[in-house]
Amino acid sequence: MIKDDIKSNILTTTIESAVNWGRKNSLWPMPFGTACCGIEFMAVLAARTDISRFGAEAIRFSPRQSDLLIVAGRISIKMMPVLIRIYEQMPEPKWVVSMGACASTGGVFDTYSVIQGVDQFIPVDVYVPGCPPRPEGVVESLLKIQELVEKEKFSDYAVSDSK
């Protein structure tokens, strides 16, 4: 009787796995929405797709409280320094989703004033295709980010002693 109780009440894991499990199920996204992709991102929060099922419903508009940056829409040259500053203000570990054709490649705006892909300035972890992308694509990107978070290692963020 006691042996059966012990089997069903003990869980063995590593601290790294437990922390990654907590991180992956409590992402705090920060949207940087411009144009139509920003509107499509609002649909992700609606009842039909409901990203709260994945623990990512706490949308933050402060970079210091976010760990997932969602760049949605075209980014102009004038906006890029702001986006870089927001990315730099986010605490580590952090992830970036490029949502839509305009954020990923400039889309149909092949002009001097539109950035032809935000990955030229900030690292992007997952790209969401489409113009505009469907909310289901954003949910898929969220699942991909969760897979990345699950594989994180503490040693990736170790501070080196060399100066």
Side-chain angles (χ1 to χ4, degrees):
M1 182 81 170
I2 292 176
K3 190 174 183 180
D4 290 338
D5 286 342
I6 290 174
K7 278 185 178 178
S8 63
N9 290 317
I10 291 184
L11 174 69
T12 58
T13 186
T14 62
I15 290 184
E16 193 170 69
S17 296
V19 168
N20 286 345
W21 181 84
R23 281 184 181 154
K24 95 172 198 183
N25 292 305
S26 62
L27 289 169
W28 289 24
M30 177 182 170
F32 192 87
T34 62
C36 46
C37 284
I39 303 297
E40 289 296 321
F41 182 73
M42 291 178 202
V44 174
L45 302 171
R48 184 172 181 182
T49 48
D50 191 19
I51 62 171
S52 64
R53 293 176 293 159
F54 309 104
E57 78 274 12
I59 305 296
R60 299 289 180 222
F61 294 97
S62 169
R64 292 182 182 92
Q65 298 176 348
S66 303
D67 55 3
L68 174 63
L69 177 63
I70 298 176
V71 181
R74 61 181 175 268
I75 305 297
S76 68
I77 289 175
K78 285 187 172 182
M79 283 193 287
M80 199 62 218
V82 175
L83 183 61
I84 291 171
R85 178 174 294 169
I86 287 171
Y87 176 77
E88 289 173 349
Q89 289 177 343
M90 292 172 64
E92 292 284 346
K94 55 190 167 187
W95 299 274
V96 177
V97 170
S98 177
M99 179 178 167
C102 293
S104 301
T105 64
V108 296
F109 302 100
D110 190 12
T111 64
Y112 67 92
S113 62
V114 175
I115 299 297
Q116 301 298 305
V118 294
D119 58 352
Q120 296 173 14
F121 298 93
I122 58 174
V124 174
D125 297 299
V126 176
Y127 297 90
V128 180
C131 180
R134 300 272 312 149
E136 292 82 4
V138 178
V139 171
E140 179 72 22
S141 73
L142 190 61
L143 295 175
K144 296 284 183 194
I145 291 292
Q146 285 183 330
E147 288 175 14
L148 291 174
V149 172
E150 200 168 38
K151 296 175 186 170
E152 287 278 321
K153 302 281 183 206
F154 287 162
S155 60
D156 296 342
Y157 301 99
V159 177
S160 65
D161 292 334
S162 63
K163 288 186 177 183

